């Protein structure tokens, strides 16, 4: 039986990396919902949109086409923006736009449509609570701020992006606060989600743990 797996958690907790690996092992598809909020953020920055003006934001959403291919490449209106959505500026703007109800409604609808076909590992902030409340397996993946900042720093280095550890730490703290305190669908652990704290775990350990849980659920 194919199931849907929801992975939620704070920024840089390793959700996407673990989701990608799980998909490879299970033959499932990955949907990185954060990338969709990042696309909206990039369009907002490119078009110099005032996100507090609902009319402008509505027009921005009307003109947006987001596609993510099977390799995880992200396209905004046909242009490959996979790298451009990963800057610090866009990370913070993604968190800002994600506080807006119309943005959330627009993206949640898209995400639910995609997951109608089972066999998805979807990661984000509100997957287990709002997008896929009936997902068969829900994981809440977290780690200490220090561990997350260090991981993001090493990831950026690998991608050739310049970053500073302390700045990354401050940015993670600011985003954690905004993502958990916003009015609409704040980040929180769904009551039926399984908590995994990966501060002291390797990526492989986390993947093994989720694989073990998925095997249990797939048999039900
Ligand atoms: O997962 P990420 O760091 O790429 O996400 C970027 C921002 O998008 C994050 O700070 C909050 C927002 N987001 C959200 O509100 N809901 C989601 N399901 C995914 C991301």
């Amino acid at each position: 039986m194919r199931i849907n797996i929801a992975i939620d958690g704070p920024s840089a907790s390793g959700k996407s990396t673990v989701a990608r690996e799980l998909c490879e092992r299970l033959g499932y598809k990955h949907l990185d919902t954060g990338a969709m909020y990042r696309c909206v953020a990039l369009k907002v920055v490119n078009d110099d949109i005032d996100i507090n003006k609902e009319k402008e934001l509505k027009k921005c959403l009307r003109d947006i086409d987001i596609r993510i291919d099977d390799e995880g490449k992200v396209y905004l209106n046909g242009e490959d923006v996979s790298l451009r959505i990963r800057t610090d500026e866009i990370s913070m703007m993604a968190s800002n736009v994600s506080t807006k109800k119309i943005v959330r409604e627009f993206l949640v609808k898209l995400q639910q449509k995609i997951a109608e076909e089972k066999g998805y590992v979807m990661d984000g902030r509100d997957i287990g609570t709002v997008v896929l409340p009936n997902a068969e397996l829900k994981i809440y993946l977290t780690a200490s701020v220090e561990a997350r900042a260090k991981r993001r720093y090493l990831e950026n280095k690998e991608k050739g992006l310049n970053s500073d550890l302390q700045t990354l730490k401050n940015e993670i703290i600011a985003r954690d606060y905004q993502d958990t305190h916003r009015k609409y669908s704040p980040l929180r652990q769904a009551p039926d989600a399984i908590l995994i704290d990966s501060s002291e775990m390797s990526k492989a350990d986390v993947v093994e743990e989720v694989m073990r849980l998925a095997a249990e659920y797939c048999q039900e």
Side-chain angles (χ1 to χ4, degrees):
M1 183 182 91
R2 287 173 91 73
I3 62 168
N4 278 328
I5 302 177
I7 307 184
D8 289 302
S11 54
S13 56
K15 303 181 297 292
S16 286
T17 317
V18 167
R20 271 195 300 272
E21 181 77 23
L22 281 171
C23 286
E24 209 152 283
R25 304 261 299 260
L26 293 165
Y28 277 25
K29 288 185 184 157
H30 175 213
L31 188 68
D32 169 5
T33 62
M36 301 171 99
Y37 287 89
R38 286 169 182 271
C39 280
V40 175
L42 184 61
K43 181 133 180 74
V44 159
V45 170
N46 284 349
D47 297 357
D48 201 16
I49 282 160
D50 179 349
I51 64 167
N52 295 314
K53 291 190 178 141
E54 192 160 313
K55 220 170 139 192
E56 285 192 29
L57 202 49
K58 241 186 207 159
K59 183 178 177 318
C60 167
L61 295 175
R62 249 201 326 267
D63 296 342
I64 213 165
D65 177 49
I66 301 169
R67 281 175 212 278
I68 305 180
D69 72 13
D70 287 345
E71 277 142 43
K73 282 219 172 92
V74 184
Y75 297 88
L76 171 60
N77 293 345
E79 196 184 334
D80 182 354
V81 294
S82 312
L83 264 184
R84 282 167 57 204
I85 56 168
R86 300 290 162 194
T87 64
D88 294 346
E89 182 197 9
I90 298 302
S91 299
M92 203 58 222
M93 183 54 89
S95 178
N96 294 343
V97 298
S98 77
T99 63
K100 303 294 178 193
K101 192 167 175 230
I102 57 165
V103 174
R104 303 208 70 82
E105 284 174 350
F106 173 78
L107 291 180
V108 166
K109 221 182 271 170
L110 264 179
Q111 292 153 10
Q112 287 174 332
K113 180 121 199 63
I114 293 170
E116 273 172 8
E117 179 198 339
K118 294 249 174 176
Y120 268 90
V121 180
M122 208 179 270
D123 75 88
R125 304 290 188 289
D126 59 343
I127 311 303
T129 51
V130 177
V131 181
L132 302 177
N134 298 321
E136 287 81 355
L137 176 58
K138 298 180 186 178
I139 305 291
Y140 190 84
L141 184 60
T142 190
S144 68
V145 172
E146 283 71 24
R148 288 187 279 139
K150 203 166 158 203
R151 274 184 212 152
R152 191 45 53 93
Y153 176 79
L154 294 173
E155 243 176 59
N156 283 352
K157 207 168 159 187
E158 211 168 279
K159 285 182 191 153
L161 292 171
N162 261 341
S163 54
D164 165 71
L165 191 59
Q166 189 56 47
T167 310
L168 281 177
K169 219 162 149 180
N170 295 342
E171 191 232 28
I172 283 173
I173 293 169
R175 277 214 287 153
D176 279 0
Y177 186 84
Q178 182 156 270
D179 294 347
T180 50
H181 287 80
R182 67 181 177 224
K183 186 169 170 196
Y184 305 107
S185 335
L187 166 67
R188 62 181 176 81
Q189 184 181 344
D192 51 348
I194 295 159
L195 175 73
I196 300 180
D197 184 332
S198 72
S199 306
E200 306 287 325
M201 290 167 86
S202 67
K203 177 183 96 176
D205 291 341
V206 177
V207 172
E208 279 317 314
E209 177 63 6
V210 183
M211 283 297 291
R212 192 184 61 73
L213 292 164
E216 259 175 48
Y217 284 81
C218 288
Q219 275 162 17
E220 275 177 8

